[in-house]
Amino acid sequence: MALRHAPGADGHEDGKAHTHGHEHARGEDGRHQPARAAGRWCVVIVVGGPQYRVGSHRQFVRLARSVARAGYAVLRFDVRGMGDGSGAPRRFDELQHDIAAAIDALLAQASGVRRIALWGLCDGASAAWLYVQATGDARVCGVGAVNPWVRSD
């Protein structure tokens, strides 16, 4: 399942996620369902930098497949302005609506799961932390942050 944002009736982006596609053998649509459920939580991969949900050298595909093999539902998604995401690109500190839409979409499809772990790389890691700080979303039970951006201003 890839997520993309569509303009609202007034032409402005509405911040809602729209799903398309179905899981297929190669998993290019971003959703990976495990053969069995290992727990009551799942993983949303927040992609960092100017790249889409596959990642350089298919790193996010490989990560998602590994997580799914361990028994957890996982979602890779495109933020607005990247990959299949329509609209203007956003900075990493402006991705709260994108992350919330991804969480909502995955929880709507992952039967019985109510908790999310966010995993992010680089500015995706920072976006995950900033999302938790800004929203206090109780559905998020953890953040895996690899090489997050920090700034001193």
Side-chain angles (χ1 to χ4, degrees):
M1 166 177 65
L3 301 177
R4 57 190 165 94
H5 296 268
D10 62 358
H12 293 91
E13 294 165 9
D14 60 9
K16 295 180 183 173
H18 302 276
T19 62
H20 62 89
H22 298 281
E23 181 69 5
H24 40 81
R26 297 182 67 192
E28 285 86 1
D29 68 353
R31 178 186 50 183
H32 299 265
Q33 291 290 343
R36 62 179 177 20
R40 306 282 295 166
W41 59 277
C42 51
V43 178
V44 170
I45 296 173
V46 183
V47 175
Q51 59 184 322
Y52 74 119
R53 68 189 179 278
V54 171
S56 60
H57 308 286
R58 301 183 58 79
Q59 67 184 349
F60 299 124
V61 173
R62 292 177 178 153
L63 173 63
R65 287 179 179 167
S66 179
V67 170
R69 277 192 303 274
Y72 299 93
V74 59
L75 175 72
R76 301 174 285 117
F77 71 102
D78 289 327
V79 298
R80 287 178 275 188
M82 293 303 304
D84 290 329
S86 62
R90 301 288 193 274
R91 295 187 328 244
F92 73 92
D93 57 350
E94 300 175 321
L95 298 179
Q96 288 85 8
H97 294 293
D98 300 77
I99 294 170
I103 291 171
D104 292 343
L106 184 54
L107 289 179
Q109 294 192 17
S111 178
V113 176
R114 297 289 163 249
R115 303 288 308 259
I116 294 284
L118 298 174
W119 186 96
L121 172 64
C122 195
D123 57 354
S126 298
W129 280 118
L130 291 170
Y131 172 80
V132 171
Q133 181 183 31
T135 67
D137 190 337
R139 302 173 299 177
V140 177
C141 63
V143 174
V146 179
N147 192 31
W149 268 79
V150 294
R151 58 183 179 199
S152 60
D153 55 28

